Amino acid sequence: MEDFKLILDGLYKILYKNEKSTDIINEISKNVEDISYITKNIYGVLENKLYLEYILKKLSKIKLNKLDKNVKIILLIGLYNIHFLDRKNYAILNELVNLTKKVSFRSKSFVNAILRSFIRDEENLAKINIKNDDEYRSIKYSMPLWIIKYLNDSYGKAYTDKFLKSLNKERNLSIRINKTKTDKENLKKLLKDCGYILEDSKISDSSLIIKNPKGLAKTEEFENGLFTIQSEGSIKVCEILNPGKNSNILDMCAAPGTKTSFLAELCENSSKIIANDISFNKLSKINENIDRLGLKNIEITNFDASILKEEYKEKFDYILCDLPCSGLGVIDRKPEIRYNRTMEDVKNLSKLQKNILDRAFLYLKPGGRLVFSTCTIGNIENKDNFTYLSKKKRLKNIKINEKEYIEYNSFDDETDGFFITKFEKI
């Protein structure tokens, strides 16, 4: 039952306290040797939440919003185990009933009855009886209807279908080589000697794909700063900015510092970098990255990037605007995002991005270069703001692979959804 208690507490914090799934899993891993079952349950419930709630509505006479929050989560855990993990034995059911006694004693019979009913009639209860195509997909893939409609409008239904089908597939982990300390061939040899299976990235020259990443962050090579765990799309952002040596660089929204550190590596520690983030609590993470990787000439600042700093006008040769966004491009890694975002958030974030881009334009020297990127998908935060930048008379688009901008997605590129575009001030 201890595992189920950790799963319950973790899901409660994610769903009702707005905590991040990755942080919860990392915290649990400090005290539990094998967290594979716990991880599978936390992510499994999040990835299938709307579908599990759909089933629960068929079984419960009480409206879901009237249920005790802990009891509802216990039921979702039970339904997930029965339907997706094929754990139909009554020992599991009894464990969940005993857990219910601890959080809401009077609900124990209710939980017992619901889960037993599902075991008896799983095949029928698991069917989705919805005729509307978008509503059906919303339940099947546990994706809020507004996101499906938004992606349909931005890219069409074929794209949306591929995106939805790719969500729960296991994705490869990628790392970035720290070329100030090693090179690709040497790192490949070291990691192969540790038993890791590697592939070259198709997206980034500075990246390797690790097929069996268990224990990677505990290796001597990681501790010594020979590589950083980072998605290929994120690595590509810095490669596209491609800052020169002995230059002034501004990373407008830098936390947790993964891209900042790569900018320093690309310049071989020769450039002056200002790494800024509005969140003071995230600044320590930037310092951790800098120290582990052995990087220099990085100043960490803490200001609101949407507010003008007069002293920064035309000061920088390169500016990275990897901006706050809805994060729809990383839903497969952070499934809770789909439940704590709204279309209003997307519109507000797009406005914030415009404000920050306006400031970046003023901070850029003539001849200076700017990269605007997000880890989201959908036109409002991406293509619309590319168009906004394109209308500035002193900005010239620099094509990437013969395109005005590039977009990565999880199903074609097997990396995070990323939007990247580059401009030069004239």
Side-chain angles (χ1 to χ4, degrees):
M1 187 168 66
E2 186 58 37
D3 279 359
F4 282 131
K5 182 67 166 67
L6 291 169
I7 294 163
L8 170 63
D9 291 345
L11 284 168
Y12 188 92
K13 290 174 184 176
I14 295 164
L15 293 172
Y16 298 112
K17 298 291 185 181
N18 208 27
E19 295 191 30
K20 295 179 179 178
S21 56
T22 48
D23 293 341
I24 296 296
I25 297 294
N26 288 338
E27 192 62 33
I28 294 172
S29 68
K30 293 176 183 177
N31 303 306
V32 179
E33 191 169 324
D34 183 4
I35 64 162
S36 55
Y37 180 69
I38 294 168
T39 302
K40 186 184 286 289
N41 268 266
I42 287 176
Y43 283 123
V45 169
L46 292 173
E47 289 165 353
N48 298 282
K49 179 174 173 283
L50 298 187
Y51 175 58
L52 295 171
E53 288 176 345
Y54 174 79
I55 294 171
L56 185 53
K57 284 177 186 175
K58 295 181 181 181
L59 289 159
S60 175
K61 292 179 181 178
I62 304 172
K63 289 186 176 181
L64 300 198
N65 61 0
K66 300 292 185 182
L67 289 176
D68 177 280
K69 290 174 181 175
N70 280 305
V71 170
K72 180 183 171 184
I73 293 172
I74 288 171
L75 286 167
L76 296 180
I77 294 168
L79 295 175
Y80 173 73
N81 274 266
I82 293 164
H83 188 61
F84 288 97
L85 302 185
D86 201 28
R87 302 192 76 180
K88 297 177 176 63
N89 61 74
Y90 287 95
I92 293 285
L93 190 150
N94 290 336
E95 282 191 51
L96 290 170
V97 170
N98 287 333
L99 179 57
T100 306
K101 290 177 184 177
K102 294 191 172 186
V103 299
S104 177
F105 187 84
R106 63 188 178 88
S107 301
K108 65 184 188 302
S109 298
F110 174 71
V111 168
N112 184 54
I114 291 284
L115 297 181
R116 284 178 182 270
S117 295
F118 185 55
I119 289 173
R120 284 194 299 268
D121 195 18
E122 179 187 355
E123 185 178 349
N124 183 51
L125 289 164
K127 292 177 182 175
I128 303 173
N129 304 308
I130 297 174
K131 291 182 179 179
N132 180 277
D133 187 44
D134 284 346
E135 290 176 12
Y136 175 88
R137 292 190 297 170
S138 175
I139 298 300
K140 181 177 180 179
Y141 297 105
S142 286
M143 186 62 61
L145 193 56
W146 76 265
I147 295 179
I148 290 176
K149 290 181 176 178
Y150 176 43
L151 296 184
N152 284 345
D153 291 343
S154 294
Y155 307 109
K157 283 200 171 188
Y159 176 105
T160 307
D161 271 339
K162 289 178 184 177
F163 170 74
L164 293 171
K165 288 173 183 175
S166 73
L167 280 176
N168 298 343
K169 289 182 179 177
E170 191 170 343
R171 192 138 50 75
N172 292 325
L173 182 136
S174 58
I175 63 170
R176 185 190 85 224
I177 304 149
N178 182 356
K179 293 180 181 177
T180 66
K181 290 192 170 190
T182 187
D183 57 53
K184 183 182 284 190
E185 293 309 312
N186 184 52
L187 183 59
K188 284 167 82 170
K189 182 181 183 305
L190 290 170
L191 292 177
K192 283 179 180 177
D193 288 347
C194 294
Y196 290 103
I197 300 167
L198 314 175
E199 288 180 3
D200 287 340
S201 166
K202 295 176 183 176
I203 291 174
S204 161
D205 291 335
S206 304
S207 179
L208 290 170
I209 306 300
I210 313 296
K211 306 296 286 187
N212 55 336
K214 188 174 182 181
L216 191 63
K218 295 179 181 178
T219 59
E220 186 178 330
E221 288 75 14
F222 179 82
E223 295 291 338
N224 290 338
L226 301 190
F227 67 88
T228 293
I229 297 169
Q230 186 177 2
S231 81
E232 294 168 279
S234 175
I235 296 169
K236 190 69 175 179
V237 168
C238 299
E239 289 179 333
I240 287 170
L241 183 59
N242 192 28
K245 293 181 183 180
N246 303 307
S247 55
N248 288 321
I249 303 168
L250 173 61
D251 189 348
M252 295 280 279
C253 306
T258 318
K259 296 184 185 70
T260 304
S261 63
F262 190 25
L263 295 176
E265 290 169 19
L266 288 169
C267 297
E268 299 178 15
N269 281 325
S270 69
S271 293
K272 171 70 176 176
I273 300 175
I274 293 180
N276 175 69
D277 204 89
I278 192 172
S279 175
F280 181 79
N281 294 334
K282 294 179 180 179
L283 299 183
S284 61
K285 191 66 180 175
I286 302 177
N287 265 321
E288 280 178 32
N289 270 314
I290 291 169
D291 292 343
R292 183 178 63 82
L293 297 166
L295 302 172
K296 302 172 185 176
N297 302 323
I298 300 172
E299 177 187 347
I300 297 174
T301 58
N302 176 219
F303 61 84
D304 185 341
S306 67
I307 297 173
L308 180 66
K309 289 180 75 71
E310 289 286 342
E311 66 270 31
Y312 279 7
K313 282 187 174 180
E314 299 201 338
K315 180 178 178 179
F316 296 97
D317 303 289
Y318 299 92
I319 299 180
L320 176 59
C321 294
D322 186 58
L323 298 185
C325 67
S326 58
L328 302 184
V330 295
I331 279 180
D332 61 336
R333 290 195 293 109
K334 301 175 182 180
E336 67 274 14
I337 285 174
R338 70 188 86 183
Y339 309 120
N340 56 29
R341 292 285 188 272
T342 65
M343 180 54 82
E344 194 62 28
D345 291 333
V346 169
K347 292 175 181 176
N348 288 337
L349 284 161
S350 180
K351 290 177 185 175
L352 174 62
Q353 290 163 5
K354 287 183 177 70
N355 285 338
I356 297 174
L357 289 169
D358 284 342
R359 306 297 171 254
F361 169 75
L362 295 174
Y363 301 157
L364 200 61
K365 292 179 180 178
R369 296 191 167 190
L370 173 153
V371 162
F372 159 50
S373 63
T374 72
C375 61
T376 196
I377 52 179
N379 286 343
I380 293 174
E381 294 174 88
N382 293 333
K383 191 175 177 181
D384 289 1
N385 282 344
F386 161 79
T387 302
Y388 178 76
L389 277 177
S390 298
K391 290 179 179 176
K392 289 187 180 291
K393 291 181 179 178
R394 291 184 61 199
L395 277 185
K396 177 182 72 175
N397 176 250
I398 299 174
K399 290 189 176 181
I400 309 164
N401 300 335
E402 304 303 316
K403 298 176 181 178
E404 294 178 320
Y405 54 83
I406 56 174
E407 288 186 282
Y408 293 120
N409 60 60
S410 55
F411 50 89
D412 286 328
D413 306 301
E414 296 185 357
T415 186
D416 291 342
F418 254 94
F419 179 91
I420 313 169
T421 188
K422 185 175 183 178
F423 287 86
E424 180 179 349
K425 192 169 186 177
I426 53 178

